[in-house]
Amino acid sequence: MMVVSTYIGIYYNVVICIAFYYFFSSMTRVLPWTYCNNPWNTPDCTGVLDVTNSSAESPLNLIQILNQTVKRTSPSEEYWRRYVLKLTDDIGNLGEIRFPLLGCLGVAWVVVFLCLIKGVKSSGKVVYFTATFPYVVLTILFVRGITLEGAVTGIMYYLTPQWDKILDAKVWGDAASQIFYSLGCAWGGLITMASYNKFHNNCYRDSIIISITNCATSVYAGFVIFSILGFMANHLGVDVSKVADHGPGLAFVAYPEALTLLPISPLWSILFFFMLILLGLGTQFCLLETLVTAVVDEVGNEWIIRWKTFVTLGVAILGFLLGIPLTTQAGIYWLLLMDNYAASFSLVVISCIMCVSIMYIYGHRNYFKDIEMMLGFPPPMFFQICWRFISPVIIFRLKNATRPSREWGPALAEHRTGRYAPALSPSTESQLEVQLLNPEKPKSDEAAVAVAITVGSNGSTHSQDSKI
């Protein structure tokens, strides 16, 4: 989990820095990716507004442009590849560092550090804004999108299933990776944030609310995106599939190009990229806090706990330095490489290993009792079946007779009740082994233990003294 969070934390802030770059670039009267009359444009560039302007000059020219729409190079794509990234032709050719992106990367890391300077106390307050304001922006863009001509076409394309893809294993793999990525499963962030909860917090209720809200938000955002893309496709006279894109191409090429068709396009562009920044920062807060908490908890001494802010600063500086290669001219190749392998199917694998380990190594009965002790009721049968059988069978099944550590349980003594209550019972062999193998134990204590307890031939322990 820490490896995955480290990889994602490095490149995710680079995505945020690109959003910052577009956000600052949108603060102009005309968006720089609107027309093809810029120094970085090529003769093959054809903008959607250029098509409209050409219609008044020559109908034949318009037909020729529309026939070449599929092969055209849009101004937003050339702005992305030839100006923002200045992309090289190979992943091995790093080129030079793009200093505008490097500056935006520094801004992104400074913002993340300042929001986490006091740990969850500060980030918890910031998240109230970063998690809720994007809904305001989505709603504004949604209302604007559905009022455009061709929006219904884009939404119908979004809602119409492609049944021929249902047997494609890659589609299911992408879907699984996306939902694990979206919910934050196997990143370590859920465990980190949950460690700050009260012991009896209703995590069952929280998990249901978050899962439903997350999926509903994704569906809602789809309406926002495809209503604008439908308008763009209608404007060009092509199918929606010709203008739709995926990955960085959707956020930094297709959608920005569609925004150029709207009145007061810089305003909509500023809102869109501000929303992307807030969504990215919300994720980055969790990633950085996970790494910092892992370091602090692993060391665990009073000094590192007292100076946790400096640990956060150190992790932020290290993340900035490791992100510098991703701001080179070939940086996007490395970013996509890390994204495809660091946080895709590996999350599914880690989650399935977690299910197997908890259900069959720690023991499902122990786990269900733990949940009942915290929540006051056992997990529903549906979750029990999923955890024990359905989830692990996705990849493999593993059983092990290894028993959990006796030190496992609630962290605070006041919560160690029931089966976690301390007892003076020599009922396990592990007690005898620990006492005898402890080099710091006085000899007299070892002798007392040896006299008090004998181990029977069948492996059971017997007390020689009824008082003991």
Side-chain angles (χ1 to χ4, degrees):
M1 288 182 180
M2 290 303 99
V3 172
V4 169
S5 294
T6 301
Y7 279 138
I8 298 176
I10 293 172
Y11 77 78
Y12 205 85
N13 233 19
V14 177
V15 177
I16 298 175
C17 93
I18 298 176
F20 265 114
Y21 186 89
Y22 271 78
F23 176 76
F24 295 138
S25 300
S26 301
M27 297 179 181
T28 180
R29 295 178 62 88
V30 179
L31 293 176
W33 55 86
T34 303
Y35 298 107
C36 294
N37 56 356
N38 301 288
W40 59 83
N41 290 127
T42 65
D44 296 330
C45 178
T46 305
V48 290
L49 292 181
D50 295 331
V51 172
T52 304
N53 296 334
S54 300
S55 62
E57 301 174 0
S58 172
L60 180 61
N61 186 38
L62 174 61
I63 295 175
Q64 292 175 348
I65 292 176
L66 289 178
N67 289 336
Q68 296 175 355
T69 299
V70 178
K71 299 180 181 180
R72 75 185 181 94
T73 303
S74 66
S76 61
E77 182 178 356
E78 292 196 349
Y79 179 79
W80 163 251
R81 297 173 64 90
R82 298 176 59 85
Y83 184 75
V84 178
L85 302 178
K86 290 190 176 179
L87 197 63
T88 59
D89 56 356
D90 184 69
I91 190 174
N93 183 14
L94 289 179
E96 62 183 15
I97 295 176
R98 296 287 294 119
F99 287 101
L101 293 181
L102 183 64
C104 291
L105 180 63
V107 171
W109 275 112
V110 168
V111 171
V112 172
F113 169 70
L114 292 179
C115 293
L116 290 176
I117 194 168
K118 294 185 178 180
V120 292
K121 293 182 180 179
S122 57
S123 64
K125 297 177 182 178
V126 176
V127 166
Y128 280 112
F129 177 73
T130 61
T132 56
F133 188 76
Y135 286 100
V136 178
V137 179
L138 276 177
T139 302
I140 295 174
L141 294 175
F142 173 73
V143 173
R144 184 67 185 103
I146 61 176
T147 58
L148 297 172
E149 186 179 0
V152 175
T153 304
I155 293 175
M156 290 306 299
Y157 176 82
Y158 170 57
L159 297 178
T160 303
Q162 299 182 18
W163 297 111
D164 58 318
K165 302 290 186 179
I166 199 169
L167 298 179
D168 189 349
K170 186 179 184 303
V171 172
W172 289 96
D174 291 342
S177 300
Q178 174 59 35
I179 195 63
F180 276 80
Y181 195 99
S182 181
L183 288 174
C185 300
W187 287 29
L190 294 178
I191 297 176
T192 301
M193 297 303 172
S195 66
Y196 294 101
N197 277 335
K198 295 181 179 179
F199 182 76
H200 295 292
N201 178 67
N202 193 341
C203 57
Y204 170 72
R205 175 201 59 203
D206 294 345
S207 63
I208 297 297
I209 294 175
I210 290 175
S211 300
I212 295 176
T213 304
N214 173 78
C215 294
T217 302
S218 299
V219 174
Y220 184 42
F223 283 95
V224 176
I225 298 296
F226 279 90
S227 61
I228 299 291
L229 294 181
F231 166 66
M232 181 178 175
N234 178 76
H235 183 84
L236 292 173
V238 298
D239 190 73
V240 180
S241 61
K242 304 300 182 182
V243 297
D245 205 338
H246 64 280
L250 177 61
F252 301 114
V253 177
Y255 202 80
E257 183 181 16
L259 293 177
T260 61
L261 301 173
L262 301 178
I264 323 177
S265 55
L267 173 63
W268 304 112
S269 182
I270 289 173
L271 285 175
F272 175 71
F273 287 109
F274 184 57
M275 179 189 68
L276 288 186
I277 291 170
L278 293 181
L279 292 173
L281 288 176
T283 301
Q284 191 68 14
F285 292 159
C286 184
L287 289 168
L288 189 62
E289 183 63 31
T290 298
L291 297 176
V292 172
T293 302
V295 173
V296 172
D297 288 354
E298 183 67 22
V299 177
N301 57 42
E302 295 182 3
W303 182 90
I304 200 169
I305 294 175
R306 185 184 303 114
W307 301 105
K308 183 180 178 181
T309 300
F310 290 96
V311 179
T312 305
L313 177 61
V315 173
I317 293 175
L318 184 61
F320 170 75
L321 296 176
L322 293 175
I324 291 178
L326 302 183
T327 62
T328 61
Q329 292 178 265
I332 193 67
Y333 294 129
W334 293 96
L335 189 151
L336 294 175
L337 183 68
M338 295 173 70
D339 181 55
N340 289 333
Y341 289 95
S344 56
F345 200 69
S346 58
L347 298 176
V348 183
V349 175
I350 294 173
S351 297
C352 288
I353 293 176
M354 284 177 60
C355 287
V356 171
S357 301
I358 295 175
M359 292 296 105
Y360 297 104
I361 296 179
Y362 177 65
H364 65 277
R365 292 186 180 87
N366 293 333
Y367 186 63
F368 297 158
K369 289 178 181 178
D370 291 341
I371 294 179
E372 185 174 4
M373 183 175 64
M374 290 187 292
L375 303 183
F377 57 89
M381 185 59 63
F382 170 76
F383 290 99
Q384 296 186 25
I385 295 174
C386 286
W387 292 336
R388 291 190 64 191
F389 305 108
I390 299 179
S391 296
V393 84
I394 295 176
I395 298 180
F396 61 86
R397 298 289 295 274
L398 175 67
K399 291 187 177 181
N400 197 314
T402 305
R403 291 175 296 182
S405 170
R406 289 184 53 80
E407 297 162 352
W408 169 258
L412 300 180
E414 62 186 15
H415 296 140
R416 298 185 73 90
T417 59
R419 67 192 191 90
Y420 291 110
L424 299 176
S425 174
S427 58
T428 60
E429 300 175 9
S430 60
Q431 284 180 320
L432 178 61
E433 295 173 355
V434 171
Q435 294 285 350
L436 293 178
L437 294 178
N438 189 348
E440 299 178 359
K441 198 72 176 176
K443 296 293 185 178
S444 58
D445 291 349
E446 294 182 3
V449 173
V451 171
I453 302 175
T454 60
V455 181
S457 59
N458 60 352
S460 61
T461 60
H462 303 280
S463 174
Q464 289 186 334
D465 192 329
S466 59
K467 293 181 180 179
I468 297 180

